[in-house]
């Protein structure tokens, strides 16, 4: 897991085309503000990414899937929309995933996760890169997270 400053993350994402495309749209949506609001997200800006997008609502200690792109839904073969991370996962995999999402929401930073075959101890044998970016919120915590996933096998 890499914690990235969204303002300077483009170099870190140079080899991750979908993540870079989402970051560029995120910058457009935020304008001069530190992070964009959920209402700023415009699917017209990211048509090629929609099947790879996640939108989660931040809840107390958990995250609820509000939008799950078709590629992600078919890869996991479980209904995710409307359910929370805690409802879908358990064990070490849950702890790691919650930590990644909490860092994004609480620190209002970009989080880049790379899951390779060597990391299958986390219970997820899929090889992917996932970028999480914060959206909106009053105070210090984001109230939504937008993410994009790139699967490699």
């Amino acid at each position: 897991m890499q914690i990235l400053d969204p303002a300077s993350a483009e170099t870190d994402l140079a080899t991750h085309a979908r993540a870079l495309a989402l970051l560029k749209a995120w910058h457009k949506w935020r304008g001069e503000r530190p992070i964009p609001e959920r209402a700023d997200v415009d699917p017209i800006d990211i048509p090629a990414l929609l099947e790879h997008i996640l939108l989660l609502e931040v809840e107390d200690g958990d995250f609820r899937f509000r939008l799950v792109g078709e590629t992600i839904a078919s890869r996991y073969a479980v209904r995710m929309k409307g359910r929370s991370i805690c409802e879908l996962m358990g064990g070490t995999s849950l702890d790691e995933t919650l930590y990644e999402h909490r860092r994004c929401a609480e620190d209002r930073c970009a989080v880049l996760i790379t899951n390779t075959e060597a990391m299958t101890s986390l219970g997820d044998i899929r090889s992917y890169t996932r970028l999480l970016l914060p959206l909106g919120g009053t105070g210090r915590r984001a109230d939504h997270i937008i993410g994009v996933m790139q699967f490699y096998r």
Side-chain angles (χ1 to χ4, degrees):
M1 177 179 81
Q2 288 178 267
I3 305 300
L4 306 173
D5 175 0
S8 60
E10 287 190 25
T11 302
D12 296 309
L13 298 177
T15 60
H16 306 288
R18 288 190 184 116
L20 184 57
L22 180 61
L23 179 67
K24 287 179 178 183
W26 185 89
H27 281 300
K28 176 183 174 186
W29 299 329
R30 77 179 178 94
E32 298 299 316
R33 297 167 294 168
I35 65 173
E37 294 295 323
R38 162 64 186 94
D40 297 324
V41 175
D42 189 348
I44 290 173
D45 293 331
I46 54 170
L49 298 181
L50 292 178
E51 67 185 83
H52 308 281
I53 290 290
L54 295 166
L55 181 66
L56 299 104
E57 184 176 355
V58 178
E59 298 180 342
D60 288 334
D62 203 355
F63 302 85
R64 188 160 306 277
F65 291 95
R66 294 300 177 197
L67 175 72
V68 180
E70 194 59 40
T71 296
I72 298 167
S74 66
R75 282 294 203 140
Y76 284 97
V78 63
R79 185 182 64 79
M80 297 167 73
K81 186 177 176 184
R83 298 174 75 187
S84 73
I85 289 175
C86 288
E87 292 169 351
L88 293 168
M89 301 176 80
T92 305
S93 185
L94 171 62
D95 295 339
E96 184 74 20
T97 301
L98 286 174
Y99 177 74
E100 295 159 358
H101 287 71
R102 286 179 184 143
R103 288 295 307 266
C104 179
E106 294 170 7
D107 297 342
R108 295 165 50 121
C109 64
V111 176
L112 181 67
I113 301 100
T114 302
N115 194 27
T116 64
E117 291 182 42
M119 300 174 75
T120 57
S121 64
L122 296 178
D124 187 348
I125 61 169
R126 293 159 191 86
S127 180
Y128 63 79
T129 298
R130 179 176 65 233
L131 176 68
L132 304 174
L133 293 163
L135 296 172
T138 56
R140 300 183 149 223
R141 184 181 83 174
D143 58 19
H144 286 84
I145 292 174
I146 191 167
V148 65
M149 293 186 76
Q150 170 82 44
F151 292 96
Y152 298 107
R153 65 175 185 97

